[in-house]
Amino acid sequence: MNRLHPLSAATYGLQYGLIWLWIPMALVLLLGALVDSISPAWSPLAAPLGFVIGVAYGVAYYYRFEYAITPDTFDVSSGVFARRSREIPYGRIQNVDVRQGVFQRLFGLATLSIETAGGGATEATLNFVSESEATRLQTQIRRRTAEVKNRRGRRREQESSPDDQSESVADRSEHPNDAERTSSDQTIDGTGDPGVPEPTSNRSRELDPESPLASGVGRRRQHRLFDLEAKELLLYSFTSFRPAAAAAVLGLFFIATDTFLELLVVVAQPVGGPESLGEGTTTDYGILTLVSIANGVVIAYVLSVAYTFATYYDFQLGRADDDFVYERGLLQRYSGSIPVEKVQSVTVTANPIQRAIEYAGLWVETAGYGPDSNGGSQSAVPLAKLGRVHRFTENLTGVETPKFQRPPPIARRRYLVRYSLVATVVVAISFGITQVTGLERWYLAAVVFAGVPPAAHLKYVNLGYYVGEDHLVVRRGFWQRRTTVIPYYRIQTVSTRRSIFQRRLGLASLVIDTASSRTLFWTTPTIYDVDLEDARDAHGTGRKRLQSALRQRARDDDLGLDVDFTASSKRSDDFI
C-alpha cells in the first residue's frame, strides 16, 4: 500500500486544526451559559486545545490513508476511527482527472480524482500526491481500464456467430480507407489529407513531452485532435460571459457594502452623482444608480474574461483509443479524459457576437461525468471557425446535414403576447416606484415595448428541429444558441408537454431526456411550440427509431461516435 505525499500530513493537520479550533470554544460558551462555575472567558484558552487535537487527527488521517493498484481493482483505505475500504474495479472507472492548483504546481504536487460509471460524485480523491506519482497512477489506471474494455470486446467477438464475423471482415475489406483513417494520425484542419503538410502554426507544434497528451497510456497511442490557438483563446475570452462573475461581484458587494458604496459615490461624482450618501437630489441618485450598474457590468465582464482565459489557457484535446483526452488551465492545470461511451449528446454553441464573426464551440454532454465538467457538459472545442465546428460535429456523430423545421407562425404570436406582458409588468413596476419615491416620468419605461416585436421574432427564428434517420437535432436560444445532436439510442424518454395557452393554440413541446447531467444553465433539450400533430409524429418516430437504434447497436456493438472527428467531410457546412 502507498501513502500520500508527506505535505498531505501538514495540510490535513492544518485543515482539521482550524475546524476543531472552534469546537472547545463553542462547548465552553455553551456550558458557561448553563453552569455558573464555568466562565465564558475561558473559551480563548480552550481554542489551542482544539487546534492541537485537530492537528493530531489530521496527521493520523494521513497515516491511515492508503492506496494501491492491484491487477483487478484500485484500492483505497481511509478513516481514523471508522475505516472505509474501497475496491474500484477498472471496468467501472470512467475517468482519471489530475488537477494542479497554484500551490500544488509550486511544490510539484497534484490531486488525482477517479470517477466511476453512473456516478456524479467522485469515487476516490488522492489529495497531494507528487506530480510524477499522479502521472504514473493516471497512466496505469487508464491502461488497465483499456485492457478490461479490450477483453470484453474480444469476448463479445468470440460469442458472435461466424457469419457475423465474416460479414464484419468483408465490410472492412470493402472500406479499407476507414480502417486506415482510424489508425493513422489526422491533421486538425479538417482536410484529413496525409499528403498536405500541416501549417506552421500553433496547431502544428509537437505536444509537450511532459503533457498527459504526449505521455502515452500504456500501449494506447494518443493522437492530437485540437489545440486552442492564442487568437481563438482571446476571442473566446472576450466574446463569452460567465454568470458566475456577476455572482462574484454581488458577493463582494454584500461582504464589503460600505466600501463599495463609497467607491461608487466617488466614481459617480464627476458625472453628476451626489457628493456623499445622504445628500443630493433624486436626479443625483438616479445618476449614481446608472453609474453603479454600468461599473458592475464592466467589473463582472473583466472577471469573466480573466476566468475564461485562465481556465482554457493552452487547451489541448486528443484521443486515446475510444476516449477523448484533454489538458487545460493556467493557474490551475487540469488533465483528464472523456469516455466516448458516456457521451449522450453533442451541442454546438454560439452567442450573437460569435455568430457575427462566424465562430462557434462544441460541447459534449456525458452521463455522470466528473467534478471539473460543467455538471455533465464538457468543452471539446471551446471556439473555432464555424465551418470547422460543423465538420467536427458531423464527423463525430455521423449526423446528416439537418434541414430544420420551425414552429408554426402562430408560435411567434404567442411570443409577442408573452413579451408584451413582460413589458407591461416593467411599466407597472416603474409606476409603483414613482408612487413611493420622488422619481417622475414613469411613462418613459414604456420604451421597453419597442423591443417586444424583435424579441418575439428572434425567439421564433432561432427555434428548429430535425428528425433524422439516426439522430434527433434540436436548436433553440438566441443569446446562447444551442444546437444539440442526440443519437436515438441515447434517448431515455420523449415526453409531450402542453400548457394551458399551448392547448388553446393547438401547440405542444417535446422534451427529450438523456442520461446526461443537468445544470442551472444547461436545460433538457426541448422542441418548443410545434403543431400538436407534428409533435405526435415526432414523438412516435423518435420512439420507433429509438428501438431500431438499440437493436442495431446491440448487434454491432458500436459506440455510435467517432472519436477522430477531424477527418474530412463531404457534408455541407450549413449546420446551425
Side-chain angles (χ1 to χ4, degrees), residues 233-483:
L233 175 61
L234 290 175
L235 285 175
Y236 188 50
S237 300
F238 283 99
T239 60
S240 302
F241 182 78
R242 308 285 170 179
V249 172
L250 290 176
L252 290 174
F253 177 79
F254 285 114
I255 291 175
T257 302
D258 294 339
T259 303
F260 267 85
L261 287 176
E262 293 175 1
L263 180 62
L264 291 173
V265 169
V266 172
V267 173
Q269 285 177 357
V271 292
E275 293 295 329
S276 63
L277 291 177
E279 300 180 0
T281 64
T282 303
T283 303
D284 295 338
Y285 282 103
I287 294 175
L288 173 63
T289 301
L290 294 176
V291 172
S292 301
I293 293 174
N295 286 330
V297 171
V298 171
I299 294 173
Y301 176 72
V302 172
L303 290 177
S304 174
V305 170
Y307 174 81
T308 303
F309 183 89
T311 300
Y312 289 95
Y313 177 81
D314 194 24
F315 179 93
Q316 303 171 21
L317 182 74
R319 69 177 176 90
D321 291 342
D322 292 329
D323 289 345
F324 293 114
V325 186
Y326 71 91
E327 184 180 359
R328 60 177 172 83
L330 177 61
L331 300 178
Q332 289 194 351
R333 196 69 182 163
Y334 298 94
S335 67
S337 60
I338 307 172
V340 174
E341 63 184 17
K342 297 285 285 182
V343 175
Q344 303 295 306
S345 59
V346 177
T347 299
V348 178
T349 64
N351 59 38
I353 299 177
Q354 293 168 350
R355 296 199 297 272
I357 60 177
E358 297 186 345
Y359 275 81
L362 179 65
W363 292 68
V364 293
E365 287 77 50
T366 56
Y369 186 62
D372 295 327
S373 64
N374 186 20
S377 298
Q378 178 72 27
S379 179
V381 177
L383 195 71
K385 279 288 188 181
L386 197 60
R388 294 182 65 212
V389 173
H390 294 171
R391 291 193 295 273
F392 289 169
T393 305
E394 292 174 339
N395 291 330
L396 173 61
T397 62
V399 64
E400 61 272 26
T401 301
K403 298 178 181 178
F404 288 106
Q405 293 181 259
R406 285 181 182 171
I410 196 173
R412 180 160 39 194
R413 191 182 73 183
R414 180 173 182 246
Y415 305 143
L416 188 65
V417 173
R418 176 191 299 176
Y419 294 138
S420 296
L421 293 175
V422 173
T424 302
V425 171
V426 172
V427 174
I429 293 175
S430 177
F431 177 77
I433 292 175
T434 60
Q435 301 304 306
V436 297
T437 64
L439 296 176
E440 299 178 355
R441 299 179 182 178
W442 59 268
Y443 48 83
L444 293 179
V447 71
V448 297
F449 280 98
V452 169
H457 176 72
L458 292 174
K459 168 77 173 178
Y460 174 78
V461 298
N462 284 281
L463 293 177
Y465 69 97
Y466 172 71
V467 181
E469 292 296 326
D470 301 308
H471 304 79
L472 186 64
V473 187
V474 181
R475 183 178 67 185
R476 70 272 188 213
F478 168 74
W479 295 110
Q480 185 70 15
R481 188 160 72 183
R482 300 191 297 273
T483 305

